[in-house]
Amino acid sequence: VDADASLTAIALRYGITPMTQMTLYYLPGSCSLAVHIVLRWVGQSFDLVRLTREDFKRPSYLALNPRGLAPVLVHDGWALTQAAAILQYISDLHPDHGLDGGRNVNDRAEVRRWLCFLNSDVHPAFRPFYGSTAYLAAPTLIETSKNAAREALMAMFEQIDRHLEGRDWLARERSIADPYLYTMLRWAQANAIDLSGQSELARFFRRIEADPEVRDTLSIEALI
Ligand SMILES: N[C@@H](CCC(=O)N[C@@H](CS)C(=O)NCC(=O)O)C(=O)O
């Protein structure tokens, strides 16, 4: 799909709610990357709209997500926000893939545990790198806030690294939590968070990057 030329991208610019079957509004490399990967894993057909920061301010986009953030998934005219909810929704539409832990209650809880950890603890800890402490105004204070974020993130990644010992994925099988972890690891690399001693995370990163659907997703988002 040529995302920028798609009908839904044109609809967004003219303030029309698109009625295509399923559309993912994404910002390349952001948390929407996890959603994009899972859509490909389950073989869902979908349209893509690549967002710019200008799009976030458009009334037509704010009608889809009043927070003016990515991702949004529109399905038959219904707009769903929040990456974790979207991941769960896609998995619910494709239960045969078992990407939310399948039928076992404990397996399902494990997937939720890691998804919640990534979405509510790890993801927000990156905010200083994306401007949340700009109000401090002084560059040295902003840098201090980034260093504090680095320390907090390193501790969380160490916890995940220990958990991955003897495992291939966060939960018992591959799940919707794994591409979220992959996305957070990309952010760690981009923001000089030193994970060099964390060999389980490195192994996980290599495994997921070897996945052909992940490579396709990266190439469509122009990240490789
Ligand atoms: N809680 C929301 C957070 C969404 C969010 O923070 N989106 C970021 C990308 S990961 C965004 O759109 N940022 C706007 C920007 O970078 O300008 C979710 O999980 O979906």
Side-chain angles (χ1 to χ4, degrees), residues 27 29-33 35 51-53 56 61 65 67-72 81-86 119-120 123-124 127 130 180 183-184 187:
L27 185 69
S30 79
C31 56
S32 53
L33 176 63
V35 175
L51 296 164
T52 64
R53 292 201 160 83
F56 287 140
Y61 190 71
N65 183 357
R67 303 253 303 127
L69 298 170
V72 173
T81 59
Q82 296 297 330
I86 297 171
N119 186 235
S120 351
H123 184 164
R127 285 193 184 132
Y130 300 103
Y180 210 134
T183 303
M184 298 295 105
W187 293 7

Side-chain angles (χ1 to χ4, degrees), residues 30-103:
S30 79
C31 56
S32 53
L33 176 63
V35 175
H36 193 173
I37 290 170
V38 167
L39 283 169
R40 288 183 191 282
W41 275 357
V42 297
Q44 170 73 46
S45 72
F46 61 100
D47 194 7
L48 275 173
V49 174
R50 181 178 317 194
L51 296 164
T52 64
R53 292 201 160 83
E54 287 302 298
D55 292 324
F56 287 140
K57 297 179 211 129
R58 292 179 201 280
S60 54
Y61 190 71
L62 291 168
L64 298 176
N65 183 357
R67 303 253 303 127
L69 298 170
V72 173
L73 188 79
V74 175
H75 193 192
D76 293 335
W78 171 66
L80 181 62
T81 59
Q82 296 297 330
I86 297 171
L87 288 166
Q88 183 62 58
Y89 177 70
I90 298 165
S91 177
D92 284 346
L93 292 178
H94 297 273
D96 292 354
H97 289 263
L99 287 176
D100 60 355
R103 292 192 178 176

Side-chain angles (χ1 to χ4, degrees), residues 54-219:
E54 287 302 298
D55 292 324
F56 287 140
K57 297 179 211 129
R58 292 179 201 280
S60 54
Y61 190 71
L62 291 168
L64 298 176
N65 183 357
R67 303 253 303 127
L69 298 170
V72 173
L73 188 79
V74 175
H75 193 192
D76 293 335
W78 171 66
L80 181 62
T81 59
Q82 296 297 330
I86 297 171
L87 288 166
Q88 183 62 58
Y89 177 70
I90 298 165
S91 177
D92 284 346
L93 292 178
H94 297 273
D96 292 354
H97 289 263
L99 287 176
D100 60 355
R103 292 192 178 176
N104 179 282
V105 173
N106 292 77
D107 289 344
R108 295 178 68 77
E110 282 293 335
V111 173
R112 291 308 180 292
R113 175 221 294 267
W114 291 106
L115 194 59
C116 290
F117 182 55
L118 291 161
N119 186 235
S120 351
D121 294 0
V122 179
H123 184 164
F126 276 98
R127 285 193 184 132
F129 300 108
Y130 300 103
S132 73
T133 51
Y135 67 88
L136 293 170
T140 51
L141 289 181
I142 294 172
E143 198 45 43
T144 302
S145 77
K146 289 185 183 173
N147 285 334
R150 276 189 190 100
E151 276 197 30
L153 282 160
M154 276 169 74
M156 288 189 259
F157 281 122
E158 268 165 33
Q159 179 188 338
I160 301 176
D161 187 68
R162 282 194 301 275
H163 171 73
L164 283 173
E165 275 169 31
R167 297 170 201 275
D168 284 347
W169 309 106
L170 283 167
R172 201 158 63 84
E173 305 281 352
R174 188 175 83 162
S175 77
I176 49 178
D178 295 305
Y180 210 134
L181 172 58
Y182 169 64
T183 303
M184 298 295 105
L185 288 171
R186 289 177 57 89
W187 293 7
Q189 278 183 348
N191 292 293
I193 294 165
D194 182 14
L195 302 179
S196 54
Q198 304 193 10
S199 56
E200 298 299 330
L201 284 176
R203 197 169 58 88
F204 172 89
F205 193 86
R206 280 195 301 273
R207 177 173 330 98
I208 204 157
E209 278 219 328
D211 180 314
E213 270 132 1
V214 171
R215 299 210 71 72
D216 283 353
T217 312
L218 293 173
S219 119

